[in-house]
Amino acid sequence: MSGLWDRGCLRKVRTSELTEEERKHIFLSKFHYKIKRSGRTGKVTKCKARVVVLGNHMTQGEDYLNAFAPVPRATAGRVVMALAAGGRRTILSLDITQAFIQSEWQYLPEGNPSRIFIHPPDSVTEERGVVYKVLKPLYGILNSARALHFTLDDFMKSQGFVAAGFEDSVWVCEPNE
């Protein structure tokens, strides 16, 4: 949990400070645990924990407006490979660590879903009557992937890339001559 606090993802709020309307948007959360193992030896290399919001209780129109986030199809990958090979272009890909918490609600076209609160996961000891206001997208919130897409889209465009006409989640840039 300390990593989420350090990155400004959550803020502690007393339930007595919330309006009746805001209390309708308090969701459960839990830890998702994962053990990473070495591919060759099977030895444990990392033990990870991720906070996940139980977004399956969210209501469209109240807690989120749109959960759609474009994802490239396998066909798009093959087209990009063929175009790059034929045009002697370089292909770059990236992996964003902690992707959702690197994104921002502000880039969503429909605006910030500012009324999402979570109960602390069961294993977190917190005084009674405290919930956390969610300030950044977290796993389990239905429009977090959408926020990630629009954050990434804004960044790629600021770097001179444009969305490929055939796929919204593939960006291209003309090479410098």
Side-chain angles (χ1 to χ4, degrees):
M1 291 290 295
S2 63
L4 294 176
W5 293 109
D6 295 344
R7 289 174 179 81
C9 297
L10 301 172
R11 183 170 46 98
K12 225 181 254 194
V13 179
R14 300 201 64 75
T15 51
S16 59
E17 299 169 8
L18 300 178
T19 66
E20 193 61 39
E21 182 62 30
E22 288 174 325
R23 287 187 189 144
K24 294 177 185 174
H25 304 282
I26 302 175
F27 300 98
L28 297 174
S29 66
K30 67 177 188 172
F31 281 116
H32 173 76
Y33 300 100
K34 187 171 189 174
I35 297 173
K36 296 270 192 164
R37 297 182 181 273
S38 168
R40 293 190 306 206
T41 64
K43 183 179 175 184
V44 174
T45 57
K46 288 183 185 178
C47 295
K48 296 178 142 192
R50 171 184 292 163
V51 175
V52 178
V53 178
L54 299 182
N56 56 321
H57 298 287
M58 293 182 149
T59 306
Q60 186 171 8
E62 291 181 30
D63 302 311
Y64 69 97
L65 294 177
N66 192 344
F68 174 76
V71 177
R73 296 180 295 262
T75 305
R78 290 191 291 273
V79 168
V80 168
M81 297 286 189
L83 291 173
R88 297 180 188 255
R89 302 264 175 104
T90 303
I91 296 176
L92 302 173
S93 66
L94 57 103
D95 182 20
I96 303 170
T97 57
Q98 301 172 351
F100 282 177
I101 63 175
Q102 302 291 339
S103 57
E104 299 284 344
W105 292 123
Q106 69 193 24
Y107 293 108
L108 283 174
E110 59 270 17
N112 182 352
S114 59
R115 349 175 261 190
I116 297 177
F117 301 87
I118 60 172
H119 288 288
D122 288 337
S123 56
V124 174
T125 53
E126 191 63 75
E127 60 187 271
R128 193 161 187 227
V130 170
V131 294
Y132 303 146
K133 180 172 180 151
V134 177
L135 303 174
K136 289 190 169 214
L138 296 177
Y139 292 92
I141 297 176
L142 297 177
N143 57 350
S144 290
R146 185 172 172 81
L148 173 61
H149 168 73
F150 283 107
T151 302
L152 186 58
D153 185 60
D154 186 69
F155 172 77
M156 296 301 280
K157 287 177 179 174
S158 75
Q159 300 299 309
F161 288 81
V162 294
F166 58 90
E167 197 73 51
D168 286 340
S169 53
V170 175
W171 294 270
V172 295
C173 184
E174 290 300 319
N176 294 332
E177 297 300 327

